[in-house]
Amino acid sequence: MYRVWNFLTNYSLLLIIGAILALVWANTNPETYHHFVEFVIWDHAPIGHYHHGHRTLTLHYLVNDILMALFFAIAAKEVWEAVILKDGSLRGKKAATPLFATAGGMFGPIGVYLGMAFLLGSDTYSAVANGWAIPTATDIAFSYLIGRIVFGAGHPAVRFLLLLAIADDAVGLIILAIFYPSSELAPEWLLLSLAAAVGVFLIFNWLPRRLDRGNEARPNSTWVRKNLHFVPYALAACISWYGFMRSGLHPALGLLPIVPAIPHADRAFGFFSEAETRLHDLLNVIEHALKHPVEVILFFFGLLNAGVELSAIGDATWLVLAGLIIGKPIGILLFGWIAAKPLGLGIPQGMRIVDLIVIGFVAAIGFTVSLFVASVAFAPGDVQDAAKMGALLSFAAAIFAIVSGRLFRVQKINLPAAE
């Protein structure tokens, strides 16, 4: 049973189960499904959707805007380590080609999505244009799973794919913050988030280390770690989240300023690495503690957001799919080739340029973040449902990845990936 649970959580399969249940429920009894999604937990609450002069906390808001903040915090942790650490995976020349490929994996889908929308006419373009960011997403967990199936665990393309996916997450967080505010902007509230992050860093991270200079026993840092543990950071996270909510930025991003303030190791082994469990700095301890709860949250995220009636398939569905399945591989191949060849940045040993096409199909599985962006890009209704269906159907990219892997004669390397 333990192995089954680990497999379900390592590859976010609980999210798939929640999405499937939502699809079945919404297509058999849509009235009870939508009543469940919009169930009111607390009317006239201090947090929640703002309308008619007061806030209402619904089940949908609880999951999408509050609990999903933990999911984005874990993603931000991986991005932060990849950028800030001396041996971070997104630093130096080794990251150059994957970063270029990431740019292609953004611009390609946007170009295909908006270009095809333009060809469908001005009315369609106006209705769907705000969803341009939906096909830019790459689902790290599912892409990693398919990448291992296509390339094998030891293939350098798997590491390349992970670098691309982490960078994609970083850009995705920026896109969500800038282009998809949850309400009218009141940026002065971000000062509250900034104060929470700076305050908790100075008092509970920097100051104890400062006081311990020259003392190998590190009594102050040890006392803070043993007696206070994550509590100051949890309180700062709540304050930061509230600042984001009041600022108009999407509150699911509200924990991002706190992540860099938490004490972290001077090294990282990357997503899905067993070695990560041997790191006992506070940031990694928090991540490990949140892993399984976040997977349960993803189950409810799928349950509350994937309930789309099959009749909802429309223009936005095909635009999202085209952006992902056509735009991603083309963009990743083109930008990756430019970086590797004309710019001379090279490509990891053991990889071929043609592997970029296969990586592009693997990265075209948008699912989690695509579904999230669809829920904030459009108001509830036909267009949002159609876009969500496109995000759900992006699993079809896995078939294209497997077929293209066979077509381009990918040599699987089934040795354990070097960490």
Side-chain angles (χ1 to χ4, degrees):
M1 192 66 187
Y2 178 75
R3 284 187 176 183
V4 172
W5 173 253
N6 266 1
F7 183 75
L8 289 174
T9 54
N10 281 342
Y11 299 112
S12 296
L13 298 188
L14 290 176
L15 173 61
I16 293 183
I17 294 170
I20 292 172
L21 288 175
L23 281 171
V24 173
W25 190 354
N27 283 279
T28 53
N29 197 330
E31 185 177 345
T32 59
Y33 174 77
H34 292 296
H35 179 74
F36 170 74
V37 170
E38 295 303 329
F39 177 77
V40 175
I41 298 172
W42 185 1
D43 201 7
H44 291 81
I47 58 175
H49 292 294
Y50 187 82
H51 58 93
H52 302 305
H54 68 278
R55 295 185 182 275
T56 302
L57 178 62
T58 62
L59 183 59
H60 185 269
Y61 189 94
L62 173 66
V63 172
N64 275 43
D65 296 61
I66 300 176
L67 297 180
M68 279 297 284
L70 297 174
F71 167 80
F72 285 111
I74 288 178
K77 179 258 185 188
E78 295 297 332
V79 172
W80 171 249
E81 288 185 333
V83 171
I84 200 66
L85 298 184
K86 185 177 179 180
D87 60 346
S89 58
L90 295 183
R91 290 174 66 113
K93 187 177 178 181
K94 64 183 177 182
T97 301
L99 288 175
F100 266 84
T102 300
M106 293 279 177
F107 292 125
I110 293 170
V112 170
Y113 181 94
L114 293 178
M116 290 184 63
F118 180 78
L119 294 175
L120 290 173
S122 58
D123 289 343
T124 300
Y125 184 87
S126 298
V128 303
N130 200 46
W132 58 269
I134 299 171
T136 63
T138 293
D139 192 296
I140 292 182
F142 293 125
S143 293
Y144 178 70
L145 175 60
I146 300 303
R148 284 176 63 114
I149 291 173
V150 174
F151 291 103
H155 201 291
V158 174
R159 179 54 61 97
F160 188 100
L161 174 67
L162 280 176
L163 294 181
L164 185 150
I166 292 171
D168 189 286
D169 261 16
V171 179
L173 293 173
I174 295 170
I175 288 174
L176 274 172
I178 296 175
F179 296 101
Y180 295 103
S182 61
S183 60
E184 188 174 342
L185 291 178
E188 63 274 11
W189 278 97
L190 291 177
L191 294 174
L192 182 63
S193 299
L194 179 63
V198 172
V200 78
F201 171 77
L202 290 177
I203 298 171
F204 299 100
N205 186 347
W206 177 83
L207 182 59
R209 288 187 289 109
R210 178 83 174 177
L211 294 174
D212 286 339
R213 281 190 311 173
N215 188 342
E216 292 184 6
R218 303 175 64 195
N220 296 289
S221 300
T222 301
W223 187 91
V224 169
R225 186 178 70 250
K226 287 185 175 180
N227 293 280
L228 300 180
H229 199 48
F230 67 90
V231 174
Y233 301 95
L235 292 174
C238 292
I239 295 170
S240 179
W241 182 90
Y242 186 77
F244 265 66
M245 184 199 73
R246 295 300 300 267
S247 75
L249 294 183
H250 203 286
L253 304 177
L255 306 192
L256 268 56
I258 305 302
V259 172
I262 302 173
H264 59 81
D266 58 359
R267 63 197 183 283
F269 298 102
F271 261 5
F272 309 106
S273 170
E274 286 296 322
E276 283 280 311
T277 60
R278 301 189 187 99
L279 295 177
H280 300 296
D281 58 286
L282 187 56
L283 185 57
N284 274 290
V285 168
I286 291 173
E287 182 192 31
H288 301 152
L290 288 176
K291 178 174 174 53
H292 289 166
V294 164
E295 292 303 326
V296 175
I297 290 167
L298 287 176
F299 166 80
F300 284 102
F301 174 76
L303 183 62
L304 292 171
N305 289 275
V308 181
E309 295 180 47
L310 296 178
S311 59
I313 292 177
D315 290 337
T317 305
W318 308 120
L319 291 171
V320 170
L321 280 176
L324 285 165
I325 294 176
I326 298 174
K328 278 275 187 186
I330 291 176
I332 288 173
L333 173 64
L334 179 60
F335 278 64
W337 175 81
I338 290 172
K341 297 299 182 180
L343 295 181
L345 297 174
I347 197 167
Q349 186 176 0
M351 263 186 69
R352 306 166 298 163
I353 290 294
V354 74
D355 290 336
L356 292 171
I357 300 175
V358 186
I359 289 174
F361 283 123
V362 177
I365 303 173
F367 200 52
T368 312
V369 181
S370 288
L371 199 57
F372 188 90
V373 176
S375 70
V376 300
F378 301 116
D382 293 342
V383 178
Q384 186 192 86
D385 288 348
K388 284 183 175 181
M389 187 61 76
L392 294 173
L393 293 177
S394 69
F395 272 114
I399 299 172
F400 286 92
I402 293 169
V403 171
S404 64
R406 297 277 182 87
L407 182 65
F408 296 120
R409 301 181 184 278
V410 167
Q411 297 295 317
K412 292 182 67 172
I413 303 176
N414 288 313
L415 299 173
E419 297 301 341

